[in-house]
Amino acid sequence: MLLLLFLGIAASRCLHDETQKSVSLLRPPLSQLAPDFRSASFTHPGSRDPQPLRIRTCYIRDPVSDGAWDTEGARRRGVPHALVAARQAARRLQGVLAVPPVQGPLLLSRDPAQYCHAVWGDPDTPNYHRCSLLNPGYKGESCLGVKIPDAHLRGYALWPEQGPPQLVQPDGPGVQNTDFLLYVRIAHTSKCHGEPSIIAYAACCQLDSEDRPLAGTIVYCAQHLASPSLSHTVSHSLAKHLGVLGASLGVPLEEEGALSSHWEARLLQGSVMTATFNGARRTRLDPVTLAAFKDSGWYQVNHSAAEELLWGRGSGLEFGLVTTCGAGSSEFFCTGSGLGCHYLHLDKGSCSSDPTLEGCRMYKPLANGSECWKKENGFPPGADNPHGEIYHSQSRCFLANLTSQLLRGDETRRPSQIPHLKEAELTGRCYLHQCTERGAYNVQVEGSPWVSCLPGKAIQIPGYHGLLFCPRGRLCQTNEGTNAVTSPPVSLATQDPLFHLSLQLAGPPGHSVGKETLEELTEAVLQALVSRDHTGSPSTTTGLVFTVYMWKSSGCHGPSVGMLHRALTLSLQKKPLEVYYGGASFTTEHIK
């Protein structure tokens, strides 16, 4: 099951296992159905060549909420955001997993224990163990609080002791071209209320005759619909939905009881299948997880889509053991409670632990403002910046004690004069980096030139006292985004957006957009444009003029940004962009 619970900057535990235990997994009761009632929607291994997994998302309006939260208002604002997040996660997995496709429309099973009050008990009768008395209180099937539409369900019948059945509910039309149904619910449930940090949680509800998951539900907590981590939370949850339930895979699992489905965090930190999540930029759909999908026997896997885990690389057989993690022998673990860098160097971090680490400690991202790659975390113009930090999309966290002021003692000596540089002497700082080739990079501090950063070495920066430590095996580990060695260093100015496009939107007469909904409308504009081009997040003014910035990352192939900008401009002049949001239609009136 691959649905997620990424919770922004702060790590959060996954509710999947405990939620799954509360849901009954329903399999098709083939032995209890007459041939006339058997649907063609079973997956028969070998009946067709595997095809990309077809995931259909279905939003079900929540009739009841467990708390006093304004779910109706949140729903109106958040449904498009929630569905976009679910569909983005589904598209990601469709490019990774393939299955023999369901034949005909997908129809889900009904639970005889729910609709049937009694069955025929005489094994000598033709209709032995078939429903002889209906449950008068039966109101249909549900999946984690979502009422499954009758159109998605098989029918059911009342059987006499002998003879043909009396049809109570015929088969629904089912869902065409679908291998997995993902129901989406927005609510303020008791789980959401009890654990305010939870963005979403999920469970699988139905399996096919080969135990492959067919349907599940993700519940978005209404108060978190504006969370920037929403789509990444869905990815973990959907992965959990589609994955292996309690199978023995030969991979160390968390000690969470008899039915754990999470990899051991001390060994596979950063995998989408660990029990804690630190945001999408720090989480990987890793080779171990994809191997587990393949070993389930349900899927063919596109292994080229695997994202490499850096955690523990080159650390040896004793890495991640409770008995060794506190010895200070590994760069991935830390001791004490100081500040440093998360092991991916995207964030500043504090040395801390959690229950899944079992006493081991690592640098976890700070609760606020830890991201070096977020420009908005930087210093305001004119503010004192004695350590020369730079917050930028190409900035990373480095252990350093740089300062523009004089330091004391050994901190001002050259690296070659320092016998042993301890991490305790340094702290996490954000500086610009630029890959020059695989495993090699330059760094830049505010006001300094680019300086070659030799992995595993401490360097000095012109204009600053102190040292900056260059991590080995963490940065520039792929050829993607690197510049040729002979290319001149890229300055901050040339990293900024190259082109922009301004769109003025006109809505229906009398329709107003409040400040609180501008973010959602901005996302709707971007979703309408993104299928045409490479664009960045649009900014907006109160007059509904959107400015969309366009750039081309280094290493990206294809037409120039200028050509794409001209093509998009001509396209929008020829056919105005239409954006549907909040029940209203907005149209571009002016482009410049």
Side-chain angles (χ1 to χ4, degrees), residues 228-251:
S229 300
L230 192 65
S231 63
H232 314 311
T233 300
V234 180
S235 294
H236 171 73
S237 298
L238 188 53
K240 300 293 291 181
H241 266 321
L242 300 173
V244 184
L245 297 174
S248 178
L249 299 169
V251 178

Side-chain angles (χ1 to χ4, degrees), residues 436 440-443 449-455 459-461 468 470:
T436 54
Y441 51 94
N442 297 330
V443 294
W450 287 98
V451 179
S452 177
C453 209
L454 301 175
I459 64 171
Q460 289 185 305
I461 302 295
L468 181 150
C470 306

Side-chain angles (χ1 to χ4, degrees), residues 134 296 342 348 467 512 563:
L134 296 176
S296 72
H342 182 265
K348 297 179 180 180
L467 302 168
S512 62
M563 183 180 298

Side-chain angles (χ1 to χ4, degrees), residues 17 111 115 144 189 200 202 215 222 262 280 299 344 530 581:
D17 284 341
D111 187 357
Y115 70 77
L144 204 61
T189 64
H262 296 119
Y299 305 103
L344 292 178
V530 75
Y581 172 75

Side-chain angles (χ1 to χ4, degrees), residues 282-556:
R282 312 179 197 101
T283 305
R284 303 291 184 264
L285 187 57
D286 56 287
V288 175
T289 297
L290 293 189
F293 277 101
K294 183 177 181 180
D295 288 348
S296 72
W298 303 324
Y299 305 103
Q300 284 193 2
V301 173
N302 176 12
H303 288 286
S304 66
E307 299 166 324
E308 185 178 10
L309 282 180
L310 290 180
W311 178 257
R313 176 190 282 178
S315 296
L317 296 177
E318 294 188 348
F319 174 77
L321 300 180
V322 175
T323 55
T324 62
C325 65
S329 58
S330 171
E331 295 179 351
F332 291 91
F333 293 105
C334 58
T335 57
S337 57
L339 297 180
C341 296
H342 182 265
Y343 75 98
L344 292 178
H345 292 267
L346 293 166
D347 304 79
K348 297 179 180 180
S350 62
C351 186
S352 58
S353 186
D354 63 54
T356 67
L357 291 176
E358 302 176 80
C360 297
R361 305 175 74 84
M362 62 174 286
Y363 287 114
K364 291 177 167 289
L366 304 177
N368 296 296
S370 73
E371 307 98 331
C372 291
W373 48 272
K374 281 190 174 181
K375 195 171 184 178
E376 57 266 32
N377 288 341
F379 297 90
D384 188 31
N385 184 14
H387 306 293
E389 292 189 89
I390 299 174
Y391 289 81
H392 186 270
S393 62
Q394 296 302 315
S395 289
R396 298 295 182 264
C397 182
F398 294 87
L399 291 172
N401 59 7
L402 298 179
T403 178
S404 57
Q405 303 168 355
L406 287 176
L407 296 178
R408 65 183 183 278
D410 286 345
E411 293 177 340
T412 61
R413 289 198 287 173
R414 299 182 66 84
S416 59
Q417 297 174 305
I418 299 179
H420 181 62
L421 184 65
K422 296 181 180 179
E423 289 188 8
E425 300 171 347
L426 309 174
T427 192
R429 300 290 184 192
C430 296
Y431 299 117
L432 199 63
H433 94 304
Q434 174 203 48
C435 300
T436 54
E437 60 183 38
R438 185 182 178 99
Y441 51 94
N442 297 330
V443 294
Q444 188 179 61
V445 180
E446 181 68 34
S448 82
W450 287 98
V451 179
S452 177
C453 209
L454 301 175
K457 303 294 184 181
I459 64 171
Q460 289 185 305
I461 302 295
Y464 287 83
H465 301 280
L467 302 168
L468 181 150
F469 184 74
C470 306
R472 184 196 305 274
R474 309 288 182 88
L475 301 176
C476 304
Q477 294 304 296
T478 67
N479 292 322
E480 181 180 352
T482 63
N483 298 304
V485 179
T486 55
S487 298
V490 179
S491 68
L492 275 173
T494 59
Q495 289 285 327
D496 289 335
L498 300 177
F499 287 87
H500 70 272
L501 184 70
S502 293
L503 309 174
Q504 182 171 322
L505 295 189
H511 188 90
S512 62
V513 178
K515 290 184 178 179
E516 69 278 2
T517 61
L518 281 177
E519 181 179 345
E520 285 86 358
L521 181 55
T522 298
E523 181 172 335
V525 172
L526 181 57
Q527 288 295 326
L529 283 170
V530 75
S531 61
R532 303 193 192 187
D533 209 315
H534 296 287
T535 59
S537 299
S539 59
T540 179
T541 68
T542 55
L544 289 184
V545 176
F546 289 78
T547 302
V548 183
Y549 295 96
M550 306 169 62
W551 67 89
K552 184 176 180 180
S553 302
S554 57
C556 180

